[in-house]
Amino acid sequence: MAAKRKIPIKTRNPDLIRGVGKYSRSKMYHKRGLWAIKAKNGGVFPRHDPQAKTPAVAEKPPKFYPADNVKKPLLNKRKPKPTKLRASITPGTVLILLAGRFMGKRVVFLKQLTSGLLLVTGPFKINGVPLRRVNQSYAIATSTKIDISEVNVDKFDDKYFTKEVVKKKKKNEGEFFEAEKEDKRKLPEDKKEDQKVVDASLLKSIENVPDLKAYLAARFSLKSGMKPHELVF
Amino acid sequence: MPFKRYVEIGRVALVNYGKDYGKLVVIVDVVDQNRALVDAPDMVRSQMNFKRLTLADIKIDINRVPKKKTLIDAMEKADVKNKWENSSWGRKLIVQKRRTSLNDFDRFKLMLAKIKFWVVFNVLKIGIMLGILFPIPMKAGMVRQELAKLKKETAA
């Protein structure tokens, strides 16, 4: 990128009216210093002859011509932008989940992951919601905030939540008729530990506010007479 | 049933429609059969159709079209704000406003307080009916007072 000039350049030949300059041709010759350029070059204008071109490499004819003219798909250089987090959602906000297994649960927001999903925890002891990812569109942000400064959420990212790939064993005929001895996929111990660590510091902040623990344990539901567009969350 | 609240200069009214919805204004002059010139300390004096006004019980003592300063002084003298906020209409509006501004957490806390109150209330009621709590027969008035005290304690 060319460096931006700090003072906008003044034209040497300002317009009197559109199409008519202030200075004549001879005056402009003098102003532009063309006489000085000529003098430097011995009375003649400097000439630059075209440089000798390197001969173009002979292209080999292609070995294969396709029978039909197949259209190439158009180039797509689009890069998706990072998901915008709603202004009402800040770390420590209590969210109400609107869909899924934990529909109606009130849950604490921890941070937004790089995929755009929200990292959220119950805390598990209070309402059974573990460290989980949740889409912004399926959460209502309430105006209740919890102090979350003592919780360290740096180690959690999208890779933490990917499903583990289990290799399928090929079954022989004999094994088919045996009782299915598939172990239930258990939650690894270190994930349980992570949950406990995050929740320990959260629980302290929660217990400082009266009734907040019971609030998080209860589910939200619309009752008779509640109008969602008039409710203040 | 004769009318009790008249459109007159100095009548206080509540705006029930439009940009100034919910404001208390004073009728300062009458323009014609349908419109009045209306003024309040925090708004520019303007004309308003009577249909947009609901008359209140309060009246202040002013001349026709007073200066803003005179109007404000007259309103202070008549103590419009306090009279309004202590009237049953004014109190109802304040409660309505408070209810709509409740947070989700506030609504939860309110629910807990209501449950607590009614549990105690019903226990007392049954106690009184069975004569357990108050062996000495009390007058109904005194019972009501005790319950009112309880209500005040658990009020948010």
Side-chain angles (χ1 to χ4, degrees):
Chain A
M1 284 224 295
K4 272 193 169 177
R5 290 176 203 260
K6 288 215 175 124
I7 306 165
I9 226 186
K10 266 200 244 173
T11 47
R12 286 198 181 95
N13 194 0
D15 280 348
L16 292 174
I17 314 170
R18 189 175 77 116
V20 178
K22 185 171 173 186
Y23 299 109
S24 65
R25 256 187 107 95
S26 47
K27 279 269 167 61
M28 282 310 295
Y29 175 86
H30 186 74
K31 265 180 156 303
R32 283 169 70 194
L34 299 179
W35 51 273
I37 298 173
K38 255 185 157 182
K40 238 190 181 177
N41 207 35
V44 185
F45 261 113
R47 254 187 86 190
H48 296 285
D49 290 314
Q51 287 175 337
K53 279 199 215 148
T54 52
V57 179
E59 271 186 34
K60 280 206 287 188
K63 269 192 248 175
F64 172 71
Y65 291 96
D68 309 309
N69 280 338
V70 180
K71 272 194 177 163
K72 259 173 57 184
L74 289 171
L75 202 60
N76 184 6
K77 286 205 184 135
R78 180 177 171 267
K79 277 208 181 88
K81 289 198 218 145
T83 315
K84 195 164 166 210
L85 189 62
R86 255 182 282 155
S88 52
I89 303 181
T90 61
T93 314
V94 173
L95 305 176
I96 300 176
L97 299 182
L98 294 173
R101 185 161 168 226
F102 301 106
M103 170 159 56
K105 293 268 191 201
R106 294 169 173 125
V107 124
V108 179
F109 168 68
L110 298 175
K111 76 171 185 182
Q112 185 183 31
L113 304 169
T114 43
S115 65
L117 299 171
L118 313 179
L119 177 64
V120 127
T121 180
F124 187 72
K125 268 210 162 199
I126 297 182
N127 53 20
V129 180
L131 281 163
R132 199 170 203 265
R133 293 185 298 174
V134 140
N135 190 322
Q136 234 188 116
S137 309
Y138 298 99
I140 298 181
T142 63
S143 44
T144 318
K145 314 263 183 215
I146 300 177
D147 181 23
I148 210 181
S149 48
E150 270 146 60
V151 183
N152 188 350
V153 271
D154 294 334
K155 70 184 289 213
F156 303 115
D157 59 348
D158 289 298
K159 274 208 295 254
Y160 182 91
F161 292 99
T162 48
K163 281 210 180 109
E164 283 172 26
V165 180
V166 178
K167 282 208 160 192
K168 277 192 167 176
K169 284 190 272 178
K170 282 208 166 184
K171 290 193 182 153
N172 310 336
E173 262 195 37
E175 282 185 0
F176 249 119
F177 298 103
E178 274 183 7
E180 298 246 332
K181 281 197 283 175
E182 259 188 44
D183 314 295
K184 263 182 120 178
R185 269 186 275 128
K186 278 197 161 177
L187 199 60
E189 278 303 316
D190 54 343
K191 291 215 173 170
K192 292 192 191 170
E193 273 308 307
D194 291 333
Q195 180 77 54
K196 284 195 198 146
V197 166
V198 168
D199 286 356
S201 31
L202 261 184
L203 275 168
K204 261 190 274 150
S205 325
I206 290 172
E207 270 160 26
N208 284 336
V209 184
D211 291 332
L212 189 58
K213 197 158 174 221
Y215 174 62
L216 290 175
R219 280 207 205 223
F220 171 83
S221 71
L222 278 181
K223 311 253 165 57
S224 180
M226 284 174 124
K227 297 174 198 158
H229 68 291
E230 285 180 359
L231 287 179
V232 168
F233 281 102
Chain B
M1 304 172 313
F3 288 101
K4 289 214 191 88
R5 301 175 188 171
Y6 294 95
V7 168
E8 47 199 334
I9 295 177
R11 172 64 61 187
V12 171
L14 186 72
V15 180
N16 59 29
Y17 182 92
K19 193 176 64 117
D20 301 307
Y21 180 82
K23 275 206 188 133
L24 270 188
V25 291
V26 177
I27 295 179
V28 135
D29 196 1
V30 171
V31 175
D32 61 13
Q33 197 194 330
N34 295 319
R35 288 177 297 161
L37 193 60
V38 127
D39 203 357
D42 60 341
M43 91 182 208
V44 175
R45 181 174 292 176
S46 58
Q47 57 95 358
M48 225 179 243
N49 193 316
F50 286 121
K51 293 186 177 178
R52 291 196 176 194
L53 299 173
T54 328
L55 304 179
D57 242 346
I58 309 169
K59 184 177 177 312
I60 67 177
D61 193 14
I62 48 171
N63 291 324
R64 195 178 73 90
V65 190
K67 289 220 176 356
K68 196 74 169 215
K69 195 160 155 293
T70 325
L71 177 69
I72 295 177
D73 290 337
M75 286 181 88
E76 293 278 311
K77 192 158 156 250
D79 208 11
V80 169
K81 192 161 186 282
N82 281 332
K83 272 206 212 143
W84 175 249
E85 284 173 5
N86 294 330
S87 70
S88 64
W89 185 4
R91 274 184 284 136
K92 269 188 258 174
L93 285 188
I94 289 173
V95 169
Q96 270 177 27
K97 208 181 193 182
R98 177 86 183 96
R99 286 214 181 119
T100 50
S101 70
L102 283 181
N103 197 348
D104 189 42
F105 189 25
D106 291 336
R107 268 177 262 131
F108 181 79
K109 286 189 274 191
L110 183 68
M111 175 189 74
L112 291 183
K114 278 191 182 172
I115 292 173
K116 195 166 153 205
F117 169 78
W118 287 108
V119 161
V120 176
F121 181 94
N122 284 321
V123 163
L124 276 185
K125 187 167 127 186
I126 294 176
I128 291 166
M129 289 203 302
L130 297 180
I132 295 170
L133 281 180
F134 299 91
I136 310 159
M138 283 176 118
K139 280 201 187 155
M142 286 194 74
V143 175
R144 239 177 275 133
Q145 266 178 38
E146 297 279 335
L147 290 175
K149 259 196 270 172
L150 240 190
K151 205 161 191 177
K152 277 206 188 123
E153 279 170 33
T154 49

